[in-house]
Structure formats: structure tokens, C-alpha cells
Amino acid sequence: MVNIGIVGIGLVGSELVSQILKSSYKNAFKVVALSTSEKMMLSDSDYKSLSLDQVENIRSTVIQSGKPVNLGEFATYLSGSKQHSVIIDCTASEEVAKLYPSWLRAGLSVVTPNKKGFSSSLDLFKEIQELAVNTNKKGKEAKVPLVYHEATVGAGLPILSTLTDLVKTGDEIISIEGIFSGTLSYLFNNYSSLTNPTSKSFSEIVSVAKGLGYTEPDPRDDLNGMDVGRKVVICGRLAGLDLDLSTLPVENIVPEELRAVPTAQEFMSKLPEYDDHFAKLNQEALSNNQVLRYVGTVDVKGGKGGVQLIK
């Protein structure tokens, strides 16, 4: 039996709780602690599963019935159990990610889709990696905390585990290249296609994607390339490079004049003014029998990486 504490009860965290409670493996897990950014709920000293009968209202239940959040107390509670405990971080917070080393030292395993702990500070990444070991100093098996962050790249596809296994078994990684953003993949698959040309402008396709919930609330958070950049950094670091997001070349495809407009609504209203810019790029590609794609690369041999819109 494993105790589970979930930090971040938004759309992702709430759905995770729902899936755990509906899973055929639910008897192997106990959800004993939940936290939003403001409130938290902890079970009793016997670590019984929290009563969550109305799964669809998990967040409101925590906010209404919980107490002020204290992630130090949250972790101390979980580490006090004789059974193994796991914290699942469903936030996108760098401040929460900075707590991973203290959680690991307390014997808590960490599972997360939060990219910040693995793509921000290189020192933090290395500290997390050093703490997430499988054996003690004598080489004997020990009950030690583990870190799983497969969902930070590829939406849970076995990309990072495969990369890690290749490195561990001595395979030489020459380069890594891919379209790391599902959002940008959707945009350019629909906008720049040799087999299915569209009459829609780039701004129209962005608007459709936003309406479908494919983009961030502010599409600039997708179009600026930083999400792809973080995924490139994660892959590069796991391949053995000391990549840093602050020095990684990332092409921001948001028109420069629109980067500082204060709201997403204003950005969307002005984006059609730049449709000719994207149309020109698209036509240049199509005239050479090419398409536009937003690609992240890691040149392992060259010790560098980058993100750019290519033909």
C-alpha cells in the first residue's frame, strides 16, 4: 500500500485523483493528502484514504474544508508513515520544484509533469538526480526515494525512460530531434501541409486551437517556444549535457510588436495583422515542396541544442 499526496488540485490534479479512485489498482493506493495553492487537506494519523465521494468537486472540497497550505507540514505528514509515500506535483511552479530535494531527503518519492525542476537551475537538477538513487553506499538494495518525470516530455510516452536506458547501457547518443509541442504540431500541421492545404490564415488556426483548449490561455506561452525549450533542456541533460535554458537559442515566433501587449485578448485581436508574415513563410516552404515545422534539437556531440521554425 502506497500513500499519495497530490500538490496542485486543478484540472490535471483533480483528474488524477478521479482516475486513481476509479482504477482497478485503487486498493494499492491511498490518497491521504491534497493541496491547492491556498488550502490543504490531510488524513488522520492512521493514514486512511480521504473521503472523496464527490470526485467532480475535489478542488472546491479542499478549498472549503481544508486549512491554510503549508507544504513543509504536508511533507512531514507523509514522511511520518511507516508505509512508502509519494508526492505527485501537478503544478507548474518552480517554487514547488525547489522543494523536491527536501522531499527526497525525507524518504518521499516524487512523480511530476512539472518541467521546472529538470529544466531550470542546473544545480537543482543535479541535486535531484543525485538524491534519486537505487542503492545505498554499500551497494545493497535499499528503500530509497525515486523520481519519475516521464510526463515532462512527450505527454507520458516512454521517451525519457528510453533515453535514460540508452545512456545507462552505453549507447552513444549523437543527436535528438523532434516536434516537442503538441500545440505547435497542431498549428503547423493544419497551416503548412503539402497534402491538405488550407485556406485559413495563421491567426484563424490559432483562434480555433485556442477555442478547442489546445493552446495555453495566452497562446503566446506556446508560440514563444519556451515550453519546447524546456523539453530540449531536459532531454539534453539526461543525455549528459549541461544545457541551460537561459543560453539555449529559442526562436520566438510571436511577432515582436505583440510580445508586450498586456492581454491575451488584445494579442488575439491584433494577430491577424501579421497573417501576411506567416503566409510568406508558408509559401516559401511550399514552393520548395517543404512545410513549416517547429523543431527542438539536441546536438549531443556538439554539446548544444536549440529550438526554431524550420522548413
Side-chain angles (χ1 to χ4, degrees), residues 64-295:
Q64 292 172 9
S65 304
K67 60 181 180 179
V69 65
N70 181 323
L71 291 182
E73 181 184 347
F74 189 92
T76 298
Y77 169 74
L78 286 165
S79 65
S81 173
K82 294 180 180 179
Q83 297 168 320
H84 188 61
S85 296
V86 178
I87 294 184
I88 303 177
D89 173 21
C90 292
T91 75
S93 167
E94 187 166 351
E95 292 307 309
V96 174
K98 288 177 181 178
L99 298 173
Y100 294 175
S102 65
W103 294 349
L104 294 168
R105 289 191 183 93
L108 300 169
S109 290
V110 176
V111 177
T112 183
N114 185 352
K115 303 176 189 66
K116 302 295 174 62
F118 311 93
S119 62
S120 297
S121 162
L122 183 61
D123 289 339
L124 175 61
F125 170 79
K126 289 185 174 181
E127 186 176 13
I128 292 170
Q129 293 297 101
E130 289 171 2
L131 288 168
V133 295
N134 295 317
T135 58
N136 59 23
K137 292 182 179 180
K138 295 181 180 180
K140 297 179 180 179
E141 290 187 2
K143 292 182 178 180
V144 295
L146 301 173
V147 175
Y148 289 103
H149 62 104
E150 192 73 62
T152 58
V153 178
L157 292 172
I159 294 172
L160 300 185
S161 57
T162 300
L163 175 58
T164 300
D165 287 344
L166 288 171
V167 172
K168 285 181 178 178
T169 53
D171 289 278
E172 182 182 11
I173 310 297
I174 297 173
S175 65
I176 302 167
E177 182 175 294
I179 299 172
F180 288 89
S181 168
T183 300
L184 292 171
S185 176
Y186 173 87
L187 293 178
F188 287 108
N189 282 347
N190 282 276
Y191 183 62
S192 186
S193 172
L194 293 171
T195 58
N196 184 31
T198 179
S199 59
K200 289 184 178 179
S201 65
F202 186 72
S203 64
E204 286 178 300
I205 293 174
V206 173
S207 180
V208 170
K210 187 176 186 298
L212 291 171
Y214 293 165
T215 73
E216 294 294 328
D218 188 334
R220 287 176 293 183
D221 292 336
D222 296 297
L223 299 173
N224 65 16
M226 294 308 292
D227 179 67
V228 177
R230 288 190 180 279
K231 294 172 183 178
V232 166
V233 167
I234 291 170
C235 288
R237 287 178 176 180
L238 291 179
L241 302 182
D242 286 349
L243 292 185
D244 194 298
L245 191 64
S246 65
T247 57
L248 187 78
V250 176
E251 182 178 357
N252 184 347
I253 62 173
V254 177
E256 189 169 353
E257 297 81 359
L258 301 185
R259 294 175 189 176
V261 297
T263 66
Q265 183 178 2
E266 184 177 351
F267 165 73
M268 291 300 298
S269 69
K270 292 185 176 181
L271 185 59
E273 299 173 16
Y274 298 85
D275 280 333
D276 287 346
H277 163 72
F278 290 102
K280 182 180 179 180
L281 294 176
N282 195 29
Q283 188 54 50
E284 289 174 354
L286 295 177
S287 64
N288 291 308
N289 206 35
Q290 298 172 323
V291 294
L292 298 174
R293 294 294 183 264
Y294 196 73
V295 177

Side-chain angles (χ1 to χ4, degrees), residues 15-26 55-56:
E15 178 60 27
L16 175 61
V17 175
S18 175
Q19 291 188 15
I20 290 173
L21 297 180
K22 295 175 183 177
S23 168
S24 58
Y25 296 98
K26 63 183 178 182
V55 173
E56 67 276 9

